[in-house]
Every structure is written in structure tokens, then in C-alpha cells.
Amino acid sequence: MTKLERASFGSKLGVILATAGSAVGLGNIWRFPYMTGQNGGAVFIIIYVFCILLLGIPCMISEFIIGRHGQANTARAFRIMSGDTIWSLIGYMGVLTGFLISGYYAVVSGWCLEYVWASLSGKLLGNPDYIQSYFVTFSQDPIKPVFWTFIILLGTYIIIENGVRNGIEKASKLMMPILFILLLIIVVASCMLPNAEKGIEFLFKPDISKLNSDVFLAALGQSFYSLSIAMGCICTYASYYSKQTNLTASAVNISIIDFLVALLAGLIIFPAAFSVGVNPDSGPSLIFITLPNVFHQAFGNIASLGYIISVLFYTLLSMAALTSLMSLHEVSTAFLEEELGTTRKRAAMFVTIGSILVGTVCSLSLGPWQDFKLFDMTIFDLFDFVTGQLFLPIVGFLTCIFIGWYVPHKIVRDEFTNMGTLRNEHLFHSYIFLVKYVCPICILFIFLHQFGLL
């Protein structure tokens, strides 16, 4: 199959920041803190780091290899590497997964924008009951969540239609440094609160008694999801890499950034939570119900600091959501542009319209359509279940089997070593062992555990 001429990132910094932006998202700032809180704090983080090393980085390198070798969208890259065999279906499944996630992910991203607005207008300074009712009322509203979903997808479209260098790379170079600056500002403020040391201790002092199989599998799952593996994002972005890009170094750098953002998010939330006596295992409601009260109680007595911290935090959350949404959008945009032979602008428009429709249905399923259920789940929950608990593990598992057992090792080695120009042959053998044996077994464990089969 003929490879297409590809756009490319213009610099090494662009490669790192754009791909890190894909990985850094709500999984780091929303999911990681509540997973840490529910699974014992520091002991969860230690296992999480090992899982990134053993699972996350090898899986990411595998997608890098497929994307760069194919120099095409995810579906076509798998077709090129598999020689049009049945293995190419993995690529199509990855594209579908990315599109479906972009729809309901945009809904949650829209919630972040609403909370920026609510913070600016001072609506998040009420009592705890009001904060809880605010989220419930907003999320069930038939218009407001759909409006914010439209707004964040419109912003994503504007970035994507401008292409790889002038859109994705420029936006990433702007937003990722701002994201880190905001993180550091709020971390400093949070760690200076009374009793903040208890939250810091919770994050860094492991309690071995809390270590069990559930903690291990939870860390395994978090490492897999937080790096945006198996959604087509990593593979698509890698198709814009030059042949000189060091794939192993890129995967390590991106994983470090991803972990640092998650850890900094923990340093925001847990010191503040312990400072006001809030239980650290508040669960998924942590960001939109528990945290506004934490900020108000922790910072409310210091002039307008509670107001400022709340605005900064939800701005940070919105930017993290947008960088991930860009990569999800690009998966489908690149697919339509190349497979239909259309313009990038038109492809991006089709994806945006499709995502708005999916997002609208998902949003309404939490409000006016909440009584309509399939398999005893709302449409929103069904999308989350099908993509997160079925498609992602399956695509990740099959990708590892594909690279480890099907693709000729010479092709994999050539990409891994940049045609022998990198002296990392010893690392290659370790990588192959992990991707052939360790990664598939770990992913299979995650898959079986979530259905109570392990």
C-alpha cells in the first residue's frame, strides 16, 4: 500500500509537548487523585510507577512503531504493517474507540468549562449542600451541558483544522507550559495550608498494610488509561514523527510528564482535603462536588484566595481536557482525510459534527433521557463502559500480540533503533520480552478483574 506524504512536527519539543498533551488529561487530574485516595495513597503510587515502566512505556513504544512505520492514520498504519490481513481490524477498532471517547469525553470537558464560569461568577462559594445540588442540577439540564460540549468541540475544531504544525503543535507549546505553571501555583498554595503535611504524608509515606491485589490491578489499569493507549491517539501522532525521533526516549519523557502532572494534582488535592478534614477517598465526585467545598473552606478565609484558586484549578482542568480532546479528534480527522481523500477542514468538520451528536445524546442521557437505559445503563455510562472496559483493553492486548508475535522483528528493531543509528539494541530485547509476555498478561488481568473473573 502506498504511503502518503505526511505532515510532521517541527521540533523535538513539539513532539514531546503534543504527545504529552494527548496523554495528560482528566485521567491525571481527575481520575488519578481519587484512585490514589481509594487505594491507599503512597503504596498505590509506587505500584503505579512500576506499572508505567512495565506496561505503559512498552505499549506506547508499540504504538509509536506502528504509527511512524505506517506514516498514515491509525487504520491505514495497521493495514500497511499487517499487509491487509485481519490484523488491520485493530486499527479500525482504535479509530472507532477514539471517536466514541471524543463524544462523551467532550461532555465532561464541557463540565470543566462550566466550572470555570461558575468559579468566575462566584457560584462555587456556597455551602456544601448547594455545591452538590449545583452539579446535579447542571449535569441534568437539557441545554447548558450541551452548550459547553459544543463550545469545547468548536475550540478543538479550530485547532485541528489548522493542521499539525500550525494547529496541534502551536496549541500544545502554548497550553502545556501554562498547564504546568498553573499546577505549580496551586500546589504551593495548597501545601502551605494548616495540616497540609498530613496530605503530603498520605502521598509519599507508603502503608504496606494497604497493599493487596485490588490496589495492584487498580494501578495497572490507571497506568494504561492515563497514557491514552489504545485510543489511536499515540499511533496517529507518531505518524507525524520524523525518522530521527528517538521513540524510546520520547516514550520515557512523555511518561515522566504524565506522571508528574498526576502527582502534582495529588499535591493540590490531598493537602487541601486533609487541611479541612475531608476524606481522601471521595471517589469520582471529588472534582465537581467535594473539591469546590475544599477550596472554599481551605482558602476562604484568606482574602479572595479561595476564589482565585478555584478559577485557576478549573482553568487548568479545562486545558488538560482540551489537549486530550485534540488528540482524540485528530485520530478520526486523519482517518477521514486520508481514507475519503477529502480536505483536512472538511474531515475536521465531519468529526466535530459527529462528536457533537454523540456528546448531545450522552449529555441528555444524564438528564431528560436518564430513564432510557440499555443493559441497565444510561447512554453516557454505556459509552464509558464499552470504550473504557471493553475496547481499550482489547485493542491494547491485540496491539501487543501484533507487535510481539506477528510483525517481523527486523521491522520492529529498525524502528526501535532508527535503522540501527541508535545504540539501544540491549533495550530492544527487554522491550520485546515485555511486549510479548508481560504486557499481554497484565492487560488480560485488568480485563478479567473488572468483570470479577480474577
Side-chain angles (χ1 to χ4, degrees):
M1 180 172 292
T2 304
K3 297 181 184 178
L4 300 177
E5 286 295 319
R6 300 289 286 164
S8 63
F9 291 116
S11 65
K12 290 182 180 179
L13 181 64
V15 168
I16 297 298
L17 292 182
T19 315
S22 169
V24 171
L26 296 179
N28 305 75
I29 303 174
W30 169 55
R31 195 173 191 270
F32 178 83
Y34 84 72
M35 290 292 289
T36 302
Q38 290 181 329
N39 290 281
V43 71
F44 172 84
I45 294 175
I46 292 171
I47 302 302
Y48 174 67
V49 171
F50 279 108
C51 290
I52 288 176
L53 295 172
L54 294 178
L55 174 66
I57 291 176
C59 285
M60 184 178 287
I61 293 172
S62 298
E63 292 202 38
F64 282 166
I65 288 171
I66 295 167
R68 189 173 70 174
H69 182 80
Q71 294 283 286
N73 69 77
T74 298
R76 183 172 293 210
F78 269 91
R79 291 210 311 271
I80 290 170
M81 200 167 239
S82 70
D84 270 328
T85 65
I86 194 170
W87 289 100
S88 62
L89 292 177
I90 305 172
Y92 287 96
M93 194 172 179
V95 172
L96 176 62
T97 302
F99 173 72
L100 295 178
I101 291 176
S102 68
Y104 80 83
Y105 190 88
V107 175
V108 183
S109 303
W111 295 350
C112 300
L113 290 182
E114 164 66 19
Y115 270 64
V116 173
W117 171 251
S119 298
L120 284 168
S121 57
K123 293 179 180 178
L124 300 183
L125 300 178
N127 59 56
D129 292 337
Y130 172 77
I131 296 296
Q132 182 167 354
S133 65
Y134 183 87
F135 176 74
V136 173
T137 302
F138 163 71
S139 62
Q140 294 180 356
D141 191 281
I143 297 174
K144 284 184 180 179
V146 175
F147 169 74
W148 288 117
T149 299
F150 172 80
I151 292 298
I152 200 158
L153 282 169
L154 179 62
T156 306
Y157 165 78
I158 292 170
I159 293 169
I160 294 297
E161 69 139 341
N162 277 298
V164 175
R165 291 195 185 186
N166 293 324
I168 296 170
E169 185 171 355
K170 275 189 176 180
S172 300
K173 283 183 174 180
L174 173 66
M175 287 192 288
M176 290 303 290
I178 292 175
L179 188 148
F180 264 101
I181 291 170
L182 291 177
L183 269 171
L184 291 172
I185 290 172
I186 309 173
V187 165
V188 170
S190 185
C191 289
M192 291 177 67
L193 290 168
N195 297 318
E197 65 275 4
K198 293 181 180 178
I200 297 172
E201 183 178 305
F202 180 77
L203 273 177
F204 293 107
K205 186 177 180 180
D207 181 354
I208 303 300
S209 67
K210 295 181 179 179
L211 181 61
N212 55 42
S213 60
D214 287 338
V215 171
F216 181 82
L217 290 169
L220 207 57
Q222 176 63 21
S223 68
F224 186 67
Y225 299 129
S226 71
L227 292 171
S228 296
I229 292 166
M231 303 176 189
C233 305
I234 302 298
C235 189
T236 300
Y237 273 19
S239 71
Y240 305 128
Y241 286 7
S242 75
K243 291 296 184 182
Q244 287 71 49
T245 300
N246 186 323
L247 301 185
T248 303
S250 296
V252 170
N253 290 333
I254 290 159
S255 297
I256 289 172
I257 293 173
D258 186 77
F259 172 69
L260 283 177
V261 170
L263 192 62
L264 288 172
L267 282 171
I268 290 172
I269 292 166
F270 293 114
F274 275 91
S275 178
V276 298
V278 171
N279 197 323
D281 62 352
S282 300
S285 65
L286 181 68
I287 292 296
F288 297 108
I289 295 177
T290 308
L291 210 54
N293 287 316
V294 168
F295 287 156
H296 177 54
Q297 292 177 53
F299 300 104
N301 295 325
I302 312 173
S304 57
L305 189 57
Y307 172 86
I308 295 169
I309 293 297
S310 183
V311 171
L312 291 178
F313 180 80
Y314 287 106
T315 301
L316 158 72
L317 200 63
S318 299
M319 293 180 71
L322 180 57
T323 57
S324 288
L325 197 56
M326 282 161 43
S327 64
L328 289 164
H329 196 295
E330 178 63 17
V331 173
S332 300
T333 298
F335 174 77
L336 292 182
E337 181 183 8
E338 294 170 11
E339 301 306 308
L340 299 183
T342 187
T343 63
R344 165 169 279 268
K345 186 172 183 178
R346 184 173 295 176
M349 181 180 64
F350 287 155
V351 174
T352 301
I353 292 171
S355 297
I356 289 172
L357 291 175
V358 171
T360 299
V361 171
C362 287
S363 181
L364 292 175
S365 75
L366 299 175
W369 297 353
Q370 61 183 310
D371 293 331
F372 176 76
K373 296 185 177 181
L374 292 172
F375 306 104
D376 203 32
M377 289 182 279
T378 65
I379 300 297
F380 183 96
D381 290 336
L382 183 64
F383 270 68
D384 185 32
F385 173 79
V386 169
T387 56
Q389 294 178 257
L390 293 180
F391 285 6
L392 288 184
I394 291 171
V395 172
F397 176 80
L398 292 176
T399 299
C400 291
I401 298 298
F402 176 63
I403 286 290
W405 295 93
Y406 178 80
V407 177
H409 280 192
K410 183 184 184 308
I411 294 176
V412 180
R413 181 186 286 107
D414 286 346
E415 289 293 339
F416 191 90
T417 63
N418 287 1
M419 299 300 292
T421 60
L422 299 175
R423 295 186 177 182
N424 56 355
E425 185 72 21
H426 58 292
L427 284 176
F428 173 74
H429 296 295
S430 299
Y431 159 72
I432 284 294
F433 175 78
L434 290 172
V435 86
K436 284 183 75 171
Y437 302 106
V438 178
C439 294
I441 291 172
C442 289
I443 295 170
L444 188 61
F445 275 8
I446 298 170
F447 187 76
L448 296 177
H449 177 70
Q450 68 190 358
F451 294 109
L453 301 175
L454 185 66

